[in-house]
Amino acid sequence: NQRFQYHAGQYIEFILKDGVRRSYSMANAPTRLGEPPAIELHIRHMPGGLFTDQVFGSMKERDILRIEGPFGSFLLRASARPIILLASGTGLAPVKALVEQLQDTGHQQPVWLYWGCRSRRDLYLHAWATDTAERWPLLRYVPVLSDPAPDDAWRGRTGLVHQALMADWPDLSAHQVYACGAPVMVDAAWV
């Protein structure tokens, strides 16, 4: 009966019946003016997944789930440097929470959001990102598709998102960089 408190960028763990845990980052800033307390999660269905099959198949409203948290240190650090956010797939979740926190706290430095997905349909919050960038002049949004489908009619950036970032910013030493998503992308970004 206690209010759940967390920081943008942190995650929770769902504890399944057999004790197995599944981690998901909160995708919203903890307290947004005028909004009721809520936790937003981005969960991609993985066929055969112990938890996602339940979420997308048998879960009903008012089912009781066990969670623990918050965990993690993927948090904004105080700095006057511009910020670059790098995300792939549902790695957007904690990055979205960071964007909301930056907006809510009156952040004054430029922010770039690079979000990489395979195809246009995988950019599940593309409208949110473009709308946020239009409403908040400090944010620049750069979507990158690695394998756009022919019917995507994609005219934006293509390739791997970390390579697009490095092409735009060969020297990141003057920026704060936050990366979240597929481990292979995060690892490749730091090479």
Side-chain angles (χ1 to χ4, degrees):
N1 294 330
Q2 184 174 2
R3 185 173 177 173
F4 184 72
Q5 296 181 4
Y6 65 95
H7 297 284
Q10 290 189 301
Y11 66 94
I12 58 172
E13 290 185 345
F14 286 92
I15 305 165
L16 308 184
K17 289 179 184 175
D18 58 1
V20 171
R21 294 170 176 258
R22 292 295 182 259
S23 302
Y24 293 92
S25 297
M26 276 70 80
N28 58 315
T31 305
R32 304 243 35 211
L33 192 59
E35 293 181 13
I39 295 175
E40 176 185 333
L41 302 173
H42 297 178
I43 301 175
R44 188 176 100 204
H45 185 204
M46 300 297 291
L50 289 175
F51 183 60
T52 62
D53 275 353
Q54 176 187 353
V55 170
F56 289 89
S58 62
M59 186 177 288
K60 301 178 300 301
E61 189 174 333
R62 299 196 183 275
D63 277 359
I64 295 174
L65 301 171
R66 290 181 48 210
I67 64 168
E68 257 184 27
F71 299 111
S73 58
F74 187 73
L75 310 170
L76 288 171
R77 306 291 189 247
S79 174
R81 294 184 292 170
I83 294 175
I84 294 179
L85 304 167
L86 176 64
S88 67
T90 55
L92 178 70
V95 167
K96 178 183 175 286
L98 296 181
V99 168
E100 290 180 0
Q101 180 179 336
L102 290 166
Q103 287 180 283
D104 293 350
T105 57
H107 180 79
Q108 296 298 311
Q109 295 299 322
V111 178
W112 287 266
L113 167 57
Y114 285 77
W115 185 22
C117 292
R118 284 195 178 108
S119 65
R120 172 65 183 87
R121 62 172 260 195
D122 298 323
L123 291 171
Y124 59 91
L125 282 181
H126 183 64
W128 168 84
T130 55
D131 291 348
T132 302
E134 286 174 14
R135 287 190 322 272
W136 190 38
L138 292 175
L139 179 66
R140 285 145 185 100
Y141 169 50
V142 182
V144 181
L145 297 184
S146 62
D147 192 22
D151 61 343
D152 283 344
W154 184 251
R155 299 186 199 292
R157 304 275 295 269
T158 58
L160 300 176
V161 68
H162 70 282
Q163 291 174 341
L165 168 67
M166 292 187 292
D168 293 350
W169 303 97
D171 179 4
L172 293 168
S173 62
H175 296 81
Q176 252 187 325
V177 180
Y178 297 85
C180 191
V184 69
M185 181 278 297
V186 173
D187 291 343
W190 303 126
V191 173

